[in-house]
Amino acid sequence: MYAFPLRRHGAIISQASLVLVSVATLALWPPREGPMVLIALDGRDAGRLVGPALEAGAVLAGRGPMPNMIIVNGVRARLAPLAWRGVIALAAPRGLCGPGSAA
């Protein structure tokens, strides 16, 4: 009898999913200090993030690949309070944020 693939390979699929999520998390975890992309989770324009980022000591490095993102160079601990304003900080990998935006 034919078994549904998820039932048959459920453990392998869930382990592979866990590995992929872990790798993505590690790849996008913001560095202690350096280039980061700030993302407005409400989808609004990233222009409203510039002031709070500069107040947190970050240096503006450019616009992100989407309108609700900016790229900054800063310290993760100083940017962390922006999460209370609906902003998430991620690592700014060159491949996703453009060749000249993250140094």
Side-chain angles (χ1 to χ4, degrees), residues 5-101:
L6 185 59
R7 183 177 293 158
R8 190 172 185 192
H9 303 292
I12 293 171
I13 292 170
S14 62
Q15 287 177 359
S17 299
L18 182 62
V19 168
L20 289 174
V21 167
S22 299
V23 168
T25 300
L26 289 174
L28 295 175
W29 193 261
R32 183 172 294 169
E33 184 175 342
M36 291 176 250
V37 61
L38 299 181
I39 305 169
L41 295 178
D42 60 5
R44 293 189 300 174
D45 186 54
R48 68 180 188 85
L49 301 178
V50 173
L54 294 176
E55 290 173 7
V59 176
L60 196 58
R63 293 195 61 85
M66 296 175 61
N68 65 331
M69 300 178 181
I70 60 170
I71 301 171
V72 298
N73 284 308
V75 178
R76 180 180 61 207
R78 293 191 65 189
L79 292 169
L82 294 177
W84 293 107
R85 298 182 186 182
V87 178
I88 188 169
L90 298 176
R94 289 181 189 265
L96 294 176
C97 296
S101 55

